[in-house]
Amino acid sequence: MVTRIPAPSATALEGAAPTSRKVRAQAPDVARRAAQALPPAARKAATVVQKNVRRAATGMLGLSGERMSKVDTAWLRMDSHSNLMMINGVWTLSPGIGWDALCERVQQRLLQYPRFRQRVVEDAAGATWVEDRNFDIAAHVLREKLPHQKGHSMQRALQDRVGELAMQPLDARRPLWQMHLIEDFVGDDGQPGSALIVRIHHCIADGIALISVTMSLVDGGSEPPKRKPRADKEAATAEDWIADALIKPFTGLTVKALDLAGDSAAKSLQMLGDPEKAMHHGLTGTMDMARVAYQLVSDAAALALMPDDSPTRLKGQPGSAKRVAWCPPIPLEEVKAIGKALNCSINDVLLSCVAGAIGGYLRSQGDDPTGQEIRAMIPVNLRPMEEAWKLGNRFGLVPLVLPIGMANPVERVYEVRKRMNALKGSTQPILAFAMLAVAGLMIKPAQDALLNLFGRKTTAVMTNVPGPKEQLTLCGSRVTQCMFWVPQSGDIGLGVSILSYGGGVQFGVITDTTLCPEPQRIIDAFAPEFDQLSLLTLMLPWGE
């Protein structure tokens, strides 16, 4: 039986009106008394945030251009002495390509994206994208020669150069990206060719969006869709970005893009984005709303109360130097076969091998990781893939605890699977995204204090990006290998990247040299971990 609740009568509404007006009249006094009860530093930060919101909403920007979203502003301001917020990538090509050909391709394709022609101008309320009227392609596409050290291969020299550039700030007077072309490069495979190092500030785009940029840059790639001009030329208001940053992730196709969200969570989030529609669903809608509200509260508490990581040598105060390393590709079909045999996903298999490699590295340094765990923040896409070309940052973060102390590969992969399954339906990525949006409104010290929540509780940032299935060509040359690294924030000194490309999977690491001077040793432990898991899988009983 369904109980129907009658709508309130006009008389009842009229009787309630004076009370509502009285509450509204008292609200400023209540807010003022609450603000006065705050410590002086908190009152100052709250005043600055309120002022910034008011300035953004009234259009007091002082510049003609496109207003940067608050999430992107948070990434812009996150640069520190130990970590620059740049996405760094490497391509190797065979045969080699010339500087002139690369410049021509960049002008034809990359500069079709306005972000790559715009510089950033900061003000008290945030930042604005402004067209660089003095744009010079030669300042962004640079020629380089790798220094040759006796006993070191060109591959090692390339890795050293990527590490150096990872801590070299981009010129803030120009658009925040650069390409460094090594025209004559010979990799460990002995094939002559070229190498291309790419640096892009995270405020321009996230990794998924940059995959879209990559696909337009290569041979046969299509130009980005033409963005429809705004009906009005005014800058976006505070209401615009709040709707964009905090409401859209709950609705439509964006929710479906959450890889870690189950069907019930997606349905609940859609209902949360459209409460009027949810009310028409009656009791079922109410229960779904209650479940997602409970999930939001639980996940917010989980983020705030995360315990500290195990105190390994990979966690501590980083310095100001980076080093990178990567391994040869592992056949993707082999990873799929292991996953199918163990009833695990490809991610479970790869993340288990990463945990094993980190644990193996610690053992090689004389440490005993038995029983230890480290937390890795994993980005989760929050946008439909067909909108990746719009650039900007539309991802959240979800914390995954890696069992680095488990020596048995099969036991470890099942433990990773259990923990990944526990994250399904989590709203933590959306909460993390909202936190970045709020951080973009704050003054830098307050923003740093908020975002250090992740740094204190985290040892690594880990990304797993699906790249093109077929090998790409650029200016007529085959892209033989590609790798990238996302930045680490705060005091995080370890970044791990997994990229599938052309039928293979690559594992790359970037480390702070104070915490881990030789990341190649972590890389060298990855393939043996995968081989051991493969061997043990073959030894397990076959059949249903």
Side-chain angles (χ1 to χ4, degrees), residues 255-274:
V255 172
K256 297 177 183 177
L258 267 168
D259 292 335
L260 300 181
D263 292 339
S264 60
K267 180 180 177 183
S268 299
L269 290 173
Q270 287 169 338
M271 300 182 89
L272 188 63
D274 191 355

Side-chain angles (χ1 to χ4, degrees), residues 114-130:
R115 288 288 178 267
F116 291 90
R117 306 189 310 268
Q118 296 168 332
R119 59 189 180 91
V120 175
V121 178
E122 291 192 72
D123 55 54
T128 303
W129 298 104
V130 179

Side-chain angles (χ1 to χ4, degrees), residues 202-534:
H202 215 312
C203 70
I204 292 179
D206 54 37
I208 292 294
L210 291 177
I211 291 290
S212 177
V213 171
T214 298
M215 295 308 294
S216 68
L217 194 61
V218 299
D219 296 348
S222 58
E223 293 185 3
K226 301 297 182 184
R227 178 178 292 188
K228 295 180 180 179
R230 292 172 60 91
D232 57 297
K233 299 297 182 181
E234 298 178 3
T237 65
E239 287 77 10
D240 289 332
W241 75 257
I242 287 173
D244 188 56
L246 302 182
I247 297 176
K248 285 186 180 178
F250 293 105
T251 60
L253 293 173
T254 305
V255 172
K256 297 177 183 177
L258 267 168
D259 292 335
L260 300 181
D263 292 339
S264 60
K267 180 180 177 183
S268 299
L269 290 173
Q270 287 169 338
M271 300 182 89
L272 188 63
D274 191 355
E276 182 178 352
K277 182 178 179 181
M279 292 301 293
H280 291 300
H281 287 275
L283 186 61
T284 302
T286 304
M287 292 299 293
D288 282 336
M289 292 285 285
R291 274 197 295 270
V292 77
Y294 174 78
Q295 186 73 48
L296 283 166
V297 172
S298 301
D299 290 339
L303 280 176
L305 301 176
M306 288 187 299
D308 291 342
D309 273 357
S310 300
T312 69
R313 65 173 61 236
L314 297 174
K315 190 166 181 64
Q317 185 62 43
S320 57
K322 299 281 188 185
R323 186 161 289 161
V324 306
W326 61 88
C327 67
I330 293 173
L332 183 58
E333 288 302 319
E334 292 186 19
V335 181
K336 290 181 178 179
I338 293 175
K340 185 175 181 179
L342 297 177
N343 194 25
C344 296
S345 70
I346 294 175
N347 278 346
D348 298 336
V349 174
L350 294 174
L351 293 176
S352 172
C353 292
V354 169
I358 294 173
Y361 166 76
L362 294 175
R363 291 187 190 91
S364 72
Q365 301 301 301
D367 301 339
D368 182 11
T370 303
Q372 291 188 330
E373 301 174 330
I374 64 170
R375 184 177 291 105
M377 282 293 178
I378 299 179
V380 177
N381 183 38
L382 288 174
R383 81 169 99 208
M385 291 300 294
E386 63 269 20
E387 294 184 5
W389 63 273
K390 293 181 179 179
L391 302 189
N393 288 276
R394 291 294 181 271
F395 70 93
L397 296 166
V398 61
L400 174 66
V401 179
L402 293 173
I404 61 171
M406 283 189 175
N408 187 308
V410 176
E411 181 184 9
R412 189 171 59 244
V413 75
Y414 283 128
E415 182 64 24
V416 169
R417 184 184 69 172
K418 182 178 78 174
R419 297 181 184 194
M420 289 293 287
N421 287 340
L423 291 174
K424 290 181 179 179
S426 170
T427 61
Q428 287 181 0
I430 295 174
L431 290 172
F433 182 84
M435 186 179 293
L436 285 170
V438 172
L441 274 177
M442 296 181 171
I443 58 175
K444 193 173 190 316
Q447 174 183 310
D448 292 343
L450 176 62
L451 298 177
N452 279 343
L453 166 69
F454 293 116
R456 290 195 304 268
K457 307 292 185 179
T458 305
T459 296
V461 175
M462 186 176 300
T463 58
N464 186 352
V465 174
K469 296 180 181 179
E470 304 296 330
Q471 285 203 332
L472 306 174
T473 59
L474 176 67
C475 300
S477 294
R478 186 167 52 92
V479 179
T480 55
Q481 216 170 16
C482 60
M483 198 63 236
F484 78 101
W485 297 268
V486 297
Q488 303 83 59
S489 62
D491 291 339
I492 301 174
L494 174 63
V496 178
S497 296
I498 301 172
L499 175 69
S500 61
Y501 166 67
V505 179
Q506 276 196 274
F507 172 51
V509 171
I510 183 169
T511 64
D512 176 84
T513 56
T514 301
L515 302 177
C516 179
E518 288 293 338
Q520 189 63 45
R521 295 187 179 182
I522 299 179
I523 291 294
D524 291 342
F526 181 74
E529 284 293 334
F530 179 78
D531 292 340
Q532 189 179 16
L533 178 61
S534 179

